[in-house]
Amino acid sequence: KIVQQGGCAAVAPFVEADALTLAKDQYGCRVLQRMIEVGWGNDVSWDVKGCLDHQFGNYIIQHLLSYGRPDVKDFIFSAVAEL
């Protein structure tokens, strides 16, 4: 609810520092998914391979493909093509 009520900006600086760690956490990935749904995460340098290979991190990549900007989607597709 905090994310939906505009609280994303308040927690974003704390989340950005540990985005990859949160992406690989059962509860952290849920927080990131909600933030991605409201437009956050497009300017984060995601470790695509590291997230795809992780049981929770892969949900972040899926969410970025669903909600991310076209340039983020292109970045993900390029990273996957290099695997």
Side-chain angles (χ1 to χ4, degrees):
K1 285 188 172 186
I2 290 174
V3 172
Q4 294 172 346
Q5 297 171 353
C8 188
V11 297
F14 301 102
V15 171
E16 287 177 16
D18 292 318
L20 185 58
T21 302
L22 289 170
K24 294 181 176 184
D25 179 76
Q26 180 178 3
Y27 301 107
C29 78
R30 292 179 184 175
V31 171
L32 291 179
Q33 287 175 52
R34 298 299 87 74
M35 292 177 73
I36 290 168
E37 288 172 8
V38 296
W40 179 87
N42 287 304
D43 297 320
V44 175
S45 295
W46 294 100
D47 174 14
V48 175
K49 183 181 178 344
C51 285
L52 284 176
D53 291 339
H54 194 271
Q55 65 179 354
F56 302 120
N58 76 83
Y59 293 114
I60 300 305
I61 300 302
Q62 291 177 46
H63 250 61
L64 287 167
L65 289 172
S66 294
Y67 297 96
R69 291 188 317 236
D71 62 313
V72 173
K73 294 175 185 181
D74 290 342
F75 173 77
I76 293 170
F77 291 136
S78 296
V80 170
E82 293 176 5
L83 296 179

